[in-house]
Amino acid sequence: MLREFHALPTEERARAMKDRDYLWCLANTLMDREEELERLCPGCQARALAEHCPVCGRETAGAGEGFQNPAFDLVRFEELRGGSGQ
């Protein structure tokens, strides 16, 4: 939320916010986003809801959940976790 309002956590206006203020801001931000999407045609809605690469902007085609990191070393992970390597 603070990034949305360009505020630092040390600023008085940020320190004065209570949990309910953050919740109110979040709820209104989500409702604003829904209203923006409702104004789009179905094709543009689909493009707006698709996941995109934060660097190049290309569609990632569902690389979020289930995405396999090629740099992840399962054997090393198991060793550090204390389990077997298989």
Side-chain angles (χ1 to χ4, degrees):
M1 276 296 111
L2 296 178
R3 183 185 304 169
E4 181 84 18
F5 296 109
H6 306 286
L8 295 173
T10 56
E11 290 182 39
E12 180 60 34
R13 63 185 174 139
R15 285 188 285 136
M17 289 182 70
K18 296 179 175 31
D19 288 343
R20 68 173 182 252
D21 298 324
Y22 285 103
L23 182 60
W24 184 86
C25 287
L26 178 61
N28 280 286
T29 301
L30 292 173
M31 289 189 320
D32 290 345
R33 172 80 170 140
E34 286 179 10
E35 288 175 4
E36 289 175 11
L37 288 172
E38 287 173 359
R39 293 179 51 216
L40 300 174
C41 70
C44 290
Q45 278 183 1
R47 283 196 305 265
L49 293 172
E51 293 186 30
H52 295 87
C53 172
V55 177
C56 69
R58 234 182 294 164
E59 196 169 319
T60 57
E65 288 190 33
F67 174 73
Q68 299 226 347
N69 182 351
F72 181 73
D73 185 354
L74 181 60
V75 174
R76 179 73 177 136
F77 174 78
E78 291 293 338
E79 287 173 1
L80 292 172
R81 188 175 79 156
S84 65
Q86 300 293 331

